[in-house]
Amino acid sequence: QGVPEDNKTAVKWYTLAAKQGHASAQYLLGGMYDNGQGVSQNDKTAVKWYALAAEQGLANAQYLLGGMYESGAGVPQDNKTAVKWYTLAAKQGHASAQYNLGFIYDNGQGVPEDNKTAVKWYTLAAEQGHANAQYNLGWMYRKGKGVPQDYKTAVKWFRLAAEHGNAESQYNLGFMYYEGQGVIEDNVYAHMWWNIAASSGKNKSASKNRDIVAEIMTPAQIAEAQKLARECVRKKFKGC
C-alpha cells in the first residue's frame, strides 16, 4: 500500500519467485507477458509460465492456458488440449472454465457435440452467477436441448442473466412474456423487456419487436411499459 505500481519491478520479483517454482508467481508472470505489462507482449512466454503454474494445479492458470490453446495464441490451436485444461480448472470450480466447457460441448468444438454435458457445465457456472452461462442455460431449457423443455426454468435463468444486464436474456424475456411461455402472457412486460434490450444497442431485433407489440397495445399500456422499463433500469434490472 502506498507504493506506486511499477510493472517492471513486479516482473523482476515475479520472475525470481517463478524460477523457484512458486505457482502464483508463475501465473502472475504469465499474465504480465500475456498483457504486455512491464515486458514486451509475448504469447509463447505467457504460455510457458501459465503451463508451469497450471501443472501445479492453479485453476486460474489452467483456465488461461486452455484459452491460449483454444485461440492458438503462443501455441498451435488445439481444442482437445483446451478442453483438457478447462476441465481441470472447471473441476476446481472455476466458473469461466465451466462456461467455456459448456460452450465447447454445446457446439462440438474439439469434442463430440453433447448437449447434456453442456447443460451440466452451464449449470455449474450459472449457479456461480456467470451471466452468459445463465443465458445459455435458459436457452437450453427453452429449446429442450440436453434437458426436457421447461419454459419456467428458462425464464428463471433468463431473469437472472437479465439482472446482470445480459441483453440477449432481456430480449428473450420479452418473447416469453409475448408468447406466454413460463409466465402469464403480458404485452406490457414484453414491451418493457424489449425496450430495455433495445436500449443496450446490442440487439437490433428488440426495437423491431417492441414496435410490433406496441401496435396491439393501448396508449395507457405503452405508457405503463415505458414507466416499468425506466424503473427497471433505475433498479439495475433487479426485481423487474
Side-chain angles (χ1 to χ4, degrees):
Q1 287 186 349
V3 179
E5 184 183 1
D6 184 334
N7 288 330
K8 286 186 179 179
T9 303
V11 167
K12 173 188 165 186
W13 292 113
Y14 291 156
T15 302
L16 287 170
K19 286 180 176 176
Q20 291 181 51
H22 193 285
S24 292
Q26 292 168 341
Y27 157 66
L28 291 167
L29 186 57
M32 301 302 268
Y33 279 99
D34 195 357
N35 297 299
Q37 294 176 322
V39 286
S40 299
Q41 200 280 338
N42 189 314
D43 287 336
K44 283 188 179 179
T45 307
V47 166
K48 168 191 164 182
W49 291 114
Y50 284 155
L52 288 167
E55 284 160 5
Q56 293 199 64
L58 206 68
N60 281 337
Q62 292 169 340
Y63 163 67
L64 290 170
L65 185 59
M68 301 299 268
Y69 276 100
E70 186 180 6
S71 63
V75 284
Q77 200 279 339
D78 185 339
N79 281 326
K80 285 188 179 178
T81 305
V83 168
K84 168 192 162 181
W85 289 113
Y86 283 150
T87 302
L88 287 167
K91 285 181 176 177
Q92 293 194 66
H94 195 291
S96 292
Q98 291 166 344
Y99 166 71
N100 283 10
L101 268 185
F103 189 87
I104 283 169
Y105 279 102
D106 192 0
N107 294 280
Q109 295 177 349
V111 292
E113 186 177 323
D114 185 337
N115 289 328
K116 284 188 178 180
T117 302
V119 166
K120 168 191 160 182
W121 290 116
Y122 281 153
T123 302
L124 288 167
E127 286 170 349
Q128 293 196 66
H130 194 291
N132 286 340
Q134 291 170 338
Y135 164 65
N136 284 11
L137 187 57
W139 184 258
M140 301 299 265
Y141 277 102
R142 185 181 173 197
K143 293 296 181 182
K145 289 179 65 180
V147 284
Q149 189 175 56
D150 184 336
Y151 290 140
K152 282 190 177 179
T153 304
V155 167
K156 168 193 163 182
W157 289 114
F158 285 150
R159 199 178 294 282
L160 286 167
E163 288 183 355
H164 289 289
N166 184 283
E168 290 301 317
S169 287
Q170 293 164 348
Y171 176 72
N172 273 277
L173 278 174
F175 258 114
M176 303 307 268
Y177 276 103
Y178 183 69
E179 298 288 349
Q181 294 179 343
V183 287
I184 295 168
E185 185 180 326
D186 191 324
N187 288 337
V188 170
Y189 276 96
H191 188 290
M192 180 198 83
W193 281 115
W194 279 332
N195 203 14
I196 289 167
S199 70
S200 73
K202 293 175 184 173
N203 191 309
K204 292 177 181 176
S205 299
S207 57
K208 181 179 164 187
N209 286 358
R210 176 200 62 205
D211 295 344
I212 289 169
V213 75
E215 291 176 8
I216 56 170
M217 294 167 68
T218 66
Q221 287 175 323
I222 293 168
E224 176 67 10
Q226 290 170 337
K227 179 187 168 190
L228 287 170
R230 286 193 299 271
E231 287 175 356
C232 185
V233 171
R234 197 158 49 239
K235 293 189 291 185
K236 296 183 178 176
F237 314 118
K238 302 290 193 293
C240 300

